[in-house]
Amino acid sequence: MKKWLLLAALAARSVTGLAQSGPVPYGVLPTTAQLNWHQMEMYCIIHFGVDTYTNKEWGYGDEDPKLVNPVKFNAAQIVGAAKAGGFKGVVVVAKHHDGLCLWPTQTTEHNISKSNWRNGKGDMVKEYQLACQKLGMQLGLYCSPWDRNNAYYGQAKYVEIYRNQLKELYTRYGKLFVSWHDGANGGDGYYGGTREVRKIDRTTYYGWPQTWAITRRLQPSAVLFGDVGPDVRWVGNEEGHAGETCWATYTPQAPEPGKEPSNGYTKYELGVQGTRNGKYWMPAECDVSLRPGWFYHASQNSQVKSPNELLDLYYKSVGRGANLDLGLSPNPDGLLNQEDVHSLQEFGRLLKQTFAVNLAKEAKIMASNIRAKSTKFGTQNLIDNDRYSYWATDNQIKTPEVTFALPGNQTFNVIRLRENIKLGQRIESFSVDAWHSGAWVQIVSATSIGANRLIRLPQNITTNKVRLRITGSPVCIALSDFGLFKEPAHLTAPVISRNREGKLSITTAAPVSAIYYTINGDRPTLQSTKYSSPISLPNGGVIKAIAVEGNKHSELAASTFGLSKANWRIIPNASTGLKPENAIDESTSLWSSMRADSASNFEPAQLSIDLGTAQNISAFTYLPRQDKSTAGLVDRYAFYTSTDGTQWQQVIAGEFSNIKANPVEQTVTLKQPAKARYIQFKALHVIAGNGATAAEIGVITTK
Ligand code: FUL
């Protein structure tokens, strides 16, 4: 070959080589373990232990392991229900704050072998591992750093014990997808019988860098979850939603100057949104329980989230590039209740139905630019369901457009986009237009895509042409997915509420042909009582309702009410503070004993109520403030009763565990019912502030 011909051939090859090379990765990138985690999208976290039997959310650490005896425990029932819901794995709480290890550990006597379950020979973690293996689900483990049982908690020796617990968990139960570490620490506990408050420095005590080195060594394919990562961050709430804009990258903040960012210190705003161009790839996990609490409480049996509520959370977590971690709460028998199983199953069905057909799949796709005009980066990659094949543009093209000419008119209400995150989170913002009567009409504009972005439109769009415009990106794009889907129409569940006069109303967002309800606990049918006007239920109870329109039934609405407050009256006292009547007005309006002087110390506050007539009280309820503020949030309480309004007797006292992260209604059940006409709620300690607050105080009675 002549020399010049050879040179020309080489030059041509290098031009093609250049053209065929992909975009340079942008910013920080996910690890292999993080990629696996992103692909999972959803998993469940299972809370079971002494709390299941004591009706608490945080055990104190002094519970007898003999309490735990789940005679029907069946890991496959629980893991199978998660699988039916479309979840890809489970995180088993192997040890919660109460310290009881659900596996036969060498590190402490306080473990499952001291229970009667399987004659002390059982290993719950093992049974979950085997069920996961059988069902093709991934396994993760949660071993609480805070241990209210361990005598050595607070000393260096406990950190050794904790690390040994992790080592056991990492070496006995196969490959894990996540090692889950939470930041909770309420201070007080049993601690080997000392029953005291033990303060630790969260940033240094656990020696996280050394602890995590163990995870990396023994479980290299697991991600580490913690409030501030290092691999997956807490979203900052236990309500299951990320921010509308949510970046997979994150720069954690130090709790105070000179301190390292660490578990136990999170800023809500930071968690939900992440940090654009943050220092680490640290996507958010949205945790939320299927029931109000993480552990099973019979009083919450009518409050299992419905399939549509779960779907809504799916859009607000997975649809924002985060993952959904849904809490499951096996009952004292060791099984999920039927309501829970049913809800998971229906949710799984709804998901499958919604995402069965990508209406963009048959479209003729035309892009304003394709990188090097190469099919390798072509638009067919957008509809092949592969998260890593992608449409890319030339380096200088940062705001391209792509049009989807659909085969005739199509109706959709969900849009899906995904970036090839192996090349980083590149795109800032985008808009989608639909072709209507000869012109483009913008239907949505949004920010942040990442691993997955779902836009749930407020109404159906019918069109034969859709256009995606990338409106902001610092570099050329690498988009892997574009989908148009139709979520089936459904009637939303009716809303049940009660007013101050004790009248119950059942309402719907849009008019329906009928509402049916029951007050005996049964699921309503078309034969049940038809709702026509507000109902009186003076002693409270469970009310269930469905709405019906044409041949469509809504899903079930269920609410439990305590004693009607129609005849209640506040008895004023010196610490009552502002608007005490707000605590008994059946709304989330606030009673507050907080004083304007924010420098002053907390003063216990009390609220006394005349119930009108003597009642047989079996439980009290406290609904904390619902406006996200922690001021005056009560975490230690006492309830008193009186028959004359002057002589008071304390009937119960305790802690409202986990109320800061999960401020749901708290039910305090008495060992024995107390007969009284007057009740008093005392706030003994609060999360923050110099006084107490409450949205509502309630009473549950028995005959
Ligand atoms: C929190 C804990 O304090 C709760 O009890 C629960 O385990 C939740 C998932 O994490 O940090």
Side-chain angles (χ1 to χ4, degrees), residues 34 67 98 137 175 180 207 296 312 330 366 391 399-400 408 444 486 508 519 549 590 601 643 651 703:
Q34 285 171 322
L67 280 173
D98 58 75
M137 296 279 275
K175 191 167 126 184
W180 211 95
Y296 176 87
D312 188 50
M366 277 154 312
W391 165 48
T399 52
V444 69
K486 171 75 175 58
T508 51
I519 52 168
E549 175 62 28
L590 215 62
N601 289 334
T643 47
V651 282
K703 289 221 177 81

Side-chain angles (χ1 to χ4, degrees), residues 158-199:
Y158 170 74
V159 179
E160 261 328 288
I161 294 172
Y162 180 60
R163 287 180 185 158
N164 288 334
Q165 295 180 339
L166 291 178
K167 281 183 201 158
E168 288 182 356
L169 293 172
Y170 292 162
T171 52
R172 294 187 189 173
Y173 303 102
K175 191 167 126 184
L176 306 178
F177 79 92
V178 65
S179 185
W180 211 95
H181 305 262
D182 81 288
N185 186 326
D188 62 337
Y190 173 71
Y191 305 128
T194 54
R195 298 182 184 274
E196 60 191 1
V197 176
R198 294 197 182 166
K199 292 250 184 292

Side-chain angles (χ1 to χ4, degrees), residues 104 112-124 127:
I112 196 74
S113 68
K114 295 284 176 304
S115 77
N116 290 332
W117 179 65
R118 309 252 194 271
N119 296 320
K121 301 270 180 301
D123 180 343
M124 221 171 236
E127 296 198 18

Side-chain angles (χ1 to χ4, degrees), residues 329-346:
S329 324
N331 61 27
D333 280 344
L335 294 172
L336 292 180
N337 270 22
Q338 263 325 300
E339 298 95 306
D340 306 49
V341 172
H342 178 257
S343 191
L344 290 167
Q345 209 168 44
E346 283 303 295

Side-chain angles (χ1 to χ4, degrees), residues 45 47 51 57-58 93 96-97 142 146 180 182-185 227 234 238 287 294-295 325 657-658 661:
I45 185 163
H47 284 74
D51 298 354
E57 280 288 293
W58 286 355
V93 179
H96 202 248
H97 310 327
Y142 165 175
W146 181 32
W180 211 95
D182 81 288
N185 186 326
D227 287 357
W234 183 41
E238 292 185 357
D287 60 339
W294 293 101
F295 283 89
D325 181 4
S657 330
N658 203 31

